[in-house]
Amino acid sequence: MSTTQSDRLRGLLEPLVSAKELDLEEIEVSRAGRRRVLRVIVDSEEGVELDTCAELSRAISETLDATDAMGEGEYVLEVSSPGADRPLTEHRHYVRATGRLAKLNLADGGELVARILGVDDEGLDLEVPGVKGRKPTARRVAFDEIAKARVEIEFNRKDKKEEEA
């Protein structure tokens, strides 16, 4: 997708997404046979409900139909949340991942799997799980030390509601 088209789509869609109190995470146009696919990824502090995606999809579709932002050809519109395996790239992504286990690829080539306990403007406060019965340890990692980060999916983790009960 050209930068001009991307900027134009972002300008059209951002107000619609903001009106639903969501963040516009990504816009992607790709080819699927003869058609193009427009993927709009949205998120919020509380996550995104299916009904909200459906409402937003209708609003986006109406707006795009009223403009020539997608050109003349056919396209498929997909509106969804980013999913559990998306990379953590923005400060708000780390804030939303507080309490979750994350895999960090460090700029020095190292790798770290730890629970995010806190986030500030400079970096992360982490709890590194203990190995072979040892207690977890605290660690601080600055954002400039992180090359890549992604939330690790935990199948046996208790959620906050269960922990409070």
Side-chain angles (χ1 to χ4, degrees):
M1 171 170 58
S2 71
T3 304
T4 307
Q5 183 184 27
S6 175
D7 292 342
R8 185 159 183 221
L9 285 170
R10 187 167 285 280
L12 280 171
L13 304 184
E14 199 127 41
L16 300 173
V17 172
S18 295
K20 298 284 183 190
E21 298 182 1
L22 300 170
D23 295 320
L24 180 57
E25 295 290 344
E26 186 178 340
I27 299 172
E28 175 188 312
V29 177
S30 60
R31 284 251 169 237
R34 291 185 203 154
R35 295 185 194 181
R36 291 169 296 151
V37 176
L38 171 60
R39 284 186 187 85
V40 180
I41 309 297
V42 296
D43 202 3
S44 78
E45 296 294 327
E46 297 79 33
V48 182
E49 294 185 3
L50 185 59
D51 289 343
T52 305
C53 281
E55 291 168 13
L56 183 58
S57 180
R58 285 189 289 275
I60 290 172
S61 183
E62 289 172 10
T63 299
L64 292 175
D65 288 348
T67 69
D68 65 347
M70 287 301 292
E72 294 297 316
E74 292 182 24
Y75 68 92
V76 175
L77 173 62
E78 296 178 1
V79 178
S80 67
S81 62
D85 64 342
R86 78 112 179 255
L88 304 175
T89 57
E90 302 284 336
H91 185 271
R92 69 177 177 268
H93 299 163
Y94 290 98
V95 171
R96 289 178 187 153
T98 299
R100 307 277 310 267
L101 200 60
K103 179 179 181 181
L104 309 174
N105 292 328
L106 304 176
D108 68 6
E111 187 177 282
L112 177 65
V113 176
R115 190 164 310 281
I116 300 173
L117 299 179
V119 181
D120 60 30
D121 291 338
E122 287 80 41
L124 310 173
D125 292 317
L126 304 169
E127 178 184 74
V128 181
V131 180
K132 296 183 182 177
R134 293 188 179 143
K135 291 186 178 186
T137 57
R139 179 161 176 191
R140 174 86 179 160
V141 175
F143 285 120
D144 62 3
E145 295 177 67
I146 302 170
K148 278 184 5 181
R150 184 178 303 273
V151 169
E152 289 284 284
I153 298 172
E154 297 177 84
F155 293 105
N156 59 352
R157 180 174 172 254
K158 292 181 183 177
D159 67 14
K160 291 177 186 176
K161 291 176 186 171
E162 287 181 42
E163 290 173 2
E164 291 171 0

